[in-house]
Every structure is written in structure tokens, then in C-alpha cells.
Amino acid sequence: MRHQIEVKNTSFSYSDKQVFSNLSLNVGEREIFCIVGPNGCGKTTLLDCILGLLRPDSGEIVVDGLRLQGIEAKKLAERLAYVPQVHHRTFPYLVKDIVLMGRAYRTSPFTAPSKEDRAIAMAAMSWVGIQALADTPYTQISGGQCQMVMIARALAQQPKVIVMDEPTSHLDFKNELLLLEIIEELVKNNGISILMATHFPNHAYHFEAKGLRTNLALMNNGAFERIGKPREILNEENVRSIYGINSRVLDCSLDNNTALRQIVPLSIVKDK
Amino acid sequence: MKQKKMFIRAAIIFLSPIALVFLTLFIGRYPVPLKEMPNILVYPIFRQLNGLEDTYYTIIWEIRLPRAILAGLVGASLAASGAAFQGLFRNPLVNSGILGVSSGAGFGAVLAILLLSPASHLVYIFALLFGGVAVFFSYMIGKIYNSTPTIMLILGGVVVSSIFTSLISLIKYVSDPFNQLPAITFWLMGSLASASSQELLIGAPPMLVGVIGLNLIRWRINVLSMGDREAQTLGINVKLDKLMAICFATLSTAGAVCVSGTIGWVGLIIPHIGRMIVGNDNKALIPISCALGASFLIIVDNVSRTIISGEVPIGILTSLIGGPFFIYLLKQTKGGAW
């Protein structure tokens, strides 16, 4: 199977502090890859390397057949889009202006997006279901809606992969589900692969229960302790090992004869 | 309907600088008879004086016209670079002098006044040069972090500005209080009083290149205003685009400061008036800021040279006239989308 993202034996350090070393991961087509781990374990730094924002010390990162080393931002943006954890809103741009920026890689420094680009941006907004907000200043919409704008902007890039950094961390229950369902649609209908860092291991269960090809990496201290299917590796023992907490895995059967597995945190493991 | 209304409004805003330049030809202390105007205006084409006084020709073509054009260019340059810097630094409170160009240019000018003479053409050249030098230093300070993050650039600008401001004070302190100090003070207050076709020749090229450049790169400023991380993942060369935008903004501001001295206010407030009218998309904002800045400065300059028998430095009048107008507009538009 063809890989959309390949990270091979990659290491990164800030001057003298090693953030992660010898990491490898593959994200296949129409696949969701979730990275879970405690704060400060190196998730965001790893994503930054994949986004081309940081240069790894060693190893190789390949996105859709393209080696990242020394590549133009434009070439990467054709293949890979980014949904940030929080987008800091400064100027009250209209929602459609923001989504249109997804077409930036198609422009030269001295040109603006074409009519066709505007149509693509409009289609991306309709797809996400925010076309009614197109002419609203995006400083006046809710945090949940803003996250949808970020997804629409990523979609306007027409990428093969979307990288998301804790995309639900500021969302309420409903908006969280809305986002998870949109991710599901992106993978099923648009054939986009997703690489996401998340603080909610249950997201991995959620995608798996929906029948999506899902992989999970449990990251701790700059290394992947486990990589595999959520049902195989996301268990009480591993959660205890990476987070230092006691937890319980629960299976609940749903109305339509499907089951959803969830992991529930219980208490912090006391030092012996 | 709404679109038609917007089109008419845009047409008015963009045509007003040209209309104002034309209007300026009729305004001034020296009376030029209205009936002679057609003759004077066509003179450069037909080269016939038709019994006209030489003075009329000189006043219209060598004093009022260059001055009006210069005022328009300076206004457009300050407004465009202010709007560009606000976007670039993701901060609606910065103005065209944020990277130290104004204090650098000011230092260059007063240095030339001190070492040479107030009348020397090197005053312009020095101003232009040191405006560029100041921005270069700010940029290098920002680059210590090797990726020119916004906050370091702003800090660099603040540091460089304060150094040059101190140097200006130093020069004021050592200058001759009877000849040089008044010239220095007057220059720093900002004025277009010495406008001539020669000044136009020196100031116009950098301003034109800067303003045209900013207008060309304007959509990219939207993308840059998303912050470095996002801008890069959206597929633009952040370093290069930022550098280009800074260069264009510096050229236009330095060009403006070198012919007019430091005129405050325009680079901060005119972009905000533009934001109230057309919104924040730089694609519309930068051209409209140019037109508004040009119109505004032409009007203020006309007031500054006619209100009293001498001349009020334009730098004093910009906020006196612009302030109330800004408040009026704020009330009308409820501040746009802020």
C-alpha cells in the first residue's frame, strides 16, 4: 500500500535537549493516524517536522512521494494541509477570505487567487456546512465554527493529507462530535488521510468503531511506546505506563448492534 | 443595488486624489485669475504664453502642482506602508515607522543639516539612506532568532528607533541654536513647504516603487497575517514574502519621510479608516488606503499653507484635522467589524 506520510528514523533536538529520537511512522491512504501522549512528550514538535516548520536532525520524512528536505513550502502545501490547535484571530477578515487563503500556494507573490480558486473555496465552505457564514467577520463566530473554517481552509488546499494538532481541544461535546464526523467524511468521501495529535485516546476508538482504518501511536518521552490498532494497544496497562494513571476500558453496545469502546481515567498512580 | 452603491463609492474614493490635485491648483495666497487658468494649464502643450505673466505659470506648474502631487504621494506611501505593517505584524496598532524608518530617516536628515547645510540636497539622500539602514538593523536584530519572528522584529524596531531618537537629540544638543536648530526642528515637524519638482524627482521614485510593490504583494499580506506557522503551511515562502513586503514598505516610508519630514498619524489611522470602509481584506484595503491617504494629505497640506499667512507644519495638522474625522467615521460605521 502506498504511504501518504512516511517518517523514517527521525530525530529532533533543540540545541542540547533531545525532543524525540528515531521515530518512524507510516500513514497510508484513507487512513487515520492518531498520536496520543502526555503534555510535552514531543507530539507537536513531531508534527512541526512533518509540516516542514522544523528541520529534523536526522532521518527522512516523505509526504506523498516527496522528500521534505529542502523542499519549497508550495510543493508541500499541494499535498498536505494543517489545522492548528488554536487559530489566533487578529483582524476581522471575512470567513470567505480566510478559506480562500487555502489557495495561497497556487498564487505568485504578486497575484491574488483566481475566480476558479474562489469557486474551490466556496465549495470547501459548502462541504463543511459553513457557506452561510461566508460573509461574516470570522472574529464574530464561535470557537467551534472557527475550527470548521480552519477545516474548510485545509480542504480548499485539496490536499492528500491533513495534519491536525489537537483539533477538538477547545470544543464542546457537540462540536467535538461534529468535527469527528467531518473527519470521518473527509476520509470516506474525499479519500484524505488524517494525522492527528490528540489528548483524547477515545477518538481513536471512535474512528475504529466507524470502520475507518485507524492506527494509534502512544508517545512518551520522545518515543513511540506502542504503535498499532486502537483495540490492541489502548488498554489499561499501556495507559498506566504512559500517563501514570489507573483507568478502565468499557464496552458499551449501541442501539444498532454496534459496540463502542471507551477508556475512562480513574485515578493517578501513587508512587511506591 | 448594493454592488452598484459600492462601485460608486469606490469610484469616488479613487478619483478624489486626482480631483483634489486639480483643485489645489486654484488654492493659494497668490491670486491667479480664474479666466487665465485654461491658458496656464495648456501652456506645456502649446508653449505659448498668450500675454500671460510668467509668474502664473511658475506658481501653477512649479509650485502648486509638484506640491500637490508630492502631498498625494506621501499620503499614499504612509497609508499603504502602515496598512502593510499592521498586517505583517498582526497588530492593528503599529504604524509605518514600526521598524525605525522614520527615526532613522530623521537622523539622516538632521545629520546632513548639521554637517552640511539645511539647503543641501544631501539632506534627502541622507534621510533615505538612514531610513533604510534603520530597517536593516531592525531586521538583523529580528534575524538573531534566524527565522525573523514577529515579536523580535518589533523589538528590534523599538530598539533601533530609540537609538536613532537619542542620536537626533544628541545632534540637536550640539547644533548651532541660531541657524541649525530651527531648521532641524522644522524638518522634524514635517512639512511640504520646500516642495519643488526637484524634490519630486528625488522622493517620487522610492515612493512609487514602494507603493506599487505593496499593491502587487497585497494579497500575500493577508496570508502573512495568519502568522508564520500557518502562512508557511499554506504554501508561501514566508521569509521571502516578508522581506519583500518590508522592503517595499521601507522604500515608500523612507521616500515619504525624506521629502516631508516625519508626518505622524497617517500611517496608523488612515488604514483604519480604510478598514471601516472596505473591511480587512488587504486586496481592497491597501489600494483604498493609498487613495484615502493621498486625498487626506492633499487636503491637510492645503489647509497648512493657507490657514495663516505663514505656514503651519503639516505634521501638526494631520491629527488636528484627522482626529475629529476619525471619531465621526467611528460613529458612522460603528467601527466596522472590530
Side-chain angles (χ1 to χ4, degrees):
Chain A
M1 193 176 71
R2 200 187 141 98
H3 293 307
Q4 301 290 26
I5 299 180
E6 287 177 84
V7 176
K8 299 173 196 161
N9 300 320
T10 300
S11 306
F12 181 86
S13 56
Y14 283 113
S15 52
D16 53 348
K17 189 176 163 277
Q18 186 86 29
V19 181
F20 58 81
S21 56
N22 272 319
L23 286 188
S24 298
L25 68 85
N26 292 317
V27 183
E29 278 178 53
R30 291 171 186 268
E31 187 176 290
I32 299 183
F33 195 103
C34 297
I35 303 174
V36 166
N39 293 112
C41 71
K43 293 188 299 283
T44 301
T45 310
L46 173 61
L47 292 191
D48 282 357
C49 288
I50 295 168
L51 291 167
L53 298 170
L54 294 174
R55 187 175 299 165
D57 303 333
S58 63
E60 190 181 44
I61 299 174
V62 182
V63 174
D64 187 33
L66 193 81
R67 288 191 54 193
L68 235 57
Q69 188 130 21
I71 173 197
E72 278 177 274
K74 179 184 166 146
K75 286 263 166 63
L76 184 58
E78 282 173 18
R79 295 164 166 82
L80 183 141
Y82 170 55
V83 174
Q85 181 178 5
V86 203
H87 172 82
H88 294 286
R89 295 176 267 185
T90 336
F91 294 103
Y93 289 112
L94 304 183
V95 165
K96 62 180 181 189
D97 294 336
I98 297 290
V99 176
L100 191 58
M101 290 185 206
R103 306 301 296 162
Y105 72 88
R106 300 271 300 171
T107 63
S108 85
F110 298 137
T111 57
S114 64
K115 217 174 200 165
E116 193 197 331
D117 290 322
R118 280 202 296 273
I120 291 169
M122 205 43 112
M125 281 186 278
S126 307
W127 194 94
V128 180
I130 54 164
Q131 68 274 36
L133 296 175
D135 288 302
T136 312
Y138 89 134
T139 42
Q140 291 172 6
I141 61 179
S142 74
Q145 287 170 327
C146 183
Q147 202 62 331
M148 297 304 149
V149 175
M150 292 297 114
I151 304 251
R153 188 181 71 181
L155 199 58
Q157 278 178 250
Q158 302 181 321
K160 298 268 176 58
V161 201
I162 298 181
V163 172
M164 300 187 181
D165 192 359
E166 293 164 26
T168 64
S169 56
H170 296 274
L171 303 185
D172 63 29
F173 268 153
K174 188 183 173 187
N175 278 312
E176 181 180 1
L177 271 177
L178 191 62
L179 193 108
L180 294 182
E181 281 174 11
I182 279 183
I183 292 175
E184 199 184 318
E185 290 291 304
L186 282 172
V187 176
K188 277 186 178 159
N189 297 339
N190 298 37
I192 291 174
S193 306
I194 307 282
L195 171 64
M196 65 187 264
T198 175
H199 278 309
F200 303 99
N202 286 329
H203 288 168
Y205 280 145
H206 177 96
F207 294 130
E208 200 176 39
K210 296 284 180 185
L212 299 169
R213 200 158 46 232
T214 310
N215 277 313
L216 176 67
L218 302 178
M219 191 171 184
N220 197 13
N221 294 326
F224 289 152
E225 289 202 355
R226 297 274 188 288
I227 295 187
K229 297 281 157 209
R231 276 178 176 269
E232 288 160 14
I233 62 162
L234 190 55
N235 52 36
E236 289 155 17
E237 184 192 334
N238 287 337
V239 164
R240 184 188 170 101
S241 149
I242 68 162
Y243 286 108
I245 62 167
N246 298 309
S247 62
R248 185 70 50 83
V249 170
L250 303 174
D251 280 300
C252 48
S253 51
L254 306 175
D255 302 340
N256 49 356
N257 281 331
T258 55
L260 179 64
R261 182 172 280 194
Q262 295 277 285
I263 190 154
V264 183
L266 294 176
S267 60
I268 294 172
V269 177
K270 298 277 185 297
D271 289 330
K272 281 165 221 160
Chain B
M1 245 349 255
K2 201 182 158 208
Q3 244 175 347
K4 200 177 164 192
K5 223 174 122 186
M6 271 168 62
F7 177 77
I8 292 172
R9 199 169 58 181
I12 292 173
I13 293 174
F14 283 112
L15 290 177
S16 57
I18 299 166
L20 283 166
V21 166
F22 185 72
L23 209 67
T24 299
L25 303 182
F26 297 87
I27 301 172
R29 302 221 137 237
Y30 195 93
V32 177
L34 222 61
K35 63 175 171 29
E36 304 286 9
M37 222 35 171
N39 273 331
I40 304 169
L41 290 179
V42 298
Y43 170 78
I45 306 167
F46 299 111
R47 296 269 158 201
Q48 279 180 332
L49 273 178
N50 293 337
L52 266 178
E53 278 183 53
D54 229 14
T55 333
Y56 291 154
Y57 168 78
T58 313
I59 284 174
I60 299 299
W61 283 100
E62 278 170 23
I63 296 174
R64 288 185 191 167
L65 184 68
R67 184 161 177 170
I69 293 176
L70 209 59
L73 270 175
V74 168
S77 300
L78 293 176
S81 57
F85 276 143
Q86 287 171 2
L88 211 58
F89 293 121
R90 314 176 66 194
N91 185 341
L93 298 177
V94 307
N95 62 39
S96 31
I98 183 73
L99 289 181
V101 59
S102 307
S103 35
F107 169 75
V110 298
L111 185 70
I113 294 173
L114 179 78
L115 298 180
L116 308 155
S117 90
S120 168
H121 286 306
L122 281 174
V123 173
Y124 307 123
I125 307 293
F126 267 54
L128 203 61
L129 205 71
F130 277 93
V133 166
V135 174
F136 176 75
F137 280 136
S138 303
Y139 189 79
M140 292 321 276
I141 292 173
K143 234 182 120 143
I144 289 175
Y145 255 160
N146 93 45
S147 60
T148 59
T150 307
I151 185 75
M152 290 310 279
L153 268 177
I154 293 186
L155 275 177
V158 169
V159 169
V160 170
S161 282
S162 61
I163 290 175
F164 278 113
T165 309
S166 300
L167 289 175
I168 290 174
S169 300
L170 185 68
I171 290 184
K172 276 171 147 176
Y173 186 68
V174 300
S175 65
D176 163 21
F178 297 105
N179 297 319
Q180 293 166 335
L181 194 55
I184 288 173
T185 311
F186 195 69
W187 195 94
L188 288 174
M189 274 194 278
S191 168
L192 288 161
S194 58
S196 63
S197 29
Q198 218 161 12
E199 229 181 9
L200 195 59
L201 228 56
I202 296 170
M207 285 195 274
L208 280 175
V209 171
V211 167
I212 292 171
L214 286 175
N215 273 287
L216 284 173
I217 207 171
R218 67 192 195 274
W219 191 75
R220 276 287 165 98
I221 292 172
N222 282 358
V223 185
L224 286 170
S225 75
M226 295 289 99
D228 293 357
R229 282 175 71 86
E230 287 183 34
Q232 187 173 338
T233 57
L234 288 169
I236 68 168
N237 186 337
V238 174
K239 253 189 201 170
L240 182 70
D241 288 359
K242 217 189 227 181
L243 185 65
M244 279 201 285
I246 288 175
C247 283
F248 290 135
T250 302
L251 272 176
S252 54
T253 315
V257 176
C258 88
V259 291
S260 69
T262 41
I263 295 177
W265 213 83
V266 178
L268 174 65
I269 299 296
I270 295 291
H272 282 286
I273 292 176
R275 287 177 205 282
M276 290 181 204
I277 297 172
V278 295
N280 287 273
D281 181 0
N282 283 292
K283 200 179 159 202
L285 176 64
I286 288 194
I288 212 102
S289 296
C290 287
L292 288 170
S295 301
F296 176 71
L297 218 62
I298 295 171
I299 293 172
V300 175
D301 187 47
N302 277 327
V303 175
S304 91
R305 67 191 176 86
T306 50
I307 192 168
I308 55 167
S309 57
E311 174 144 3
V312 184
I314 192 168
I316 294 175
L317 282 177
T318 43
S319 39
L320 277 184
I321 295 175
F325 178 64
F326 179 76
I327 295 166
Y328 161 77
L329 214 72
L330 199 64
K331 217 167 163 260
Q332 287 291 305
T333 61
K334 305 270 177 289
W338 288 104

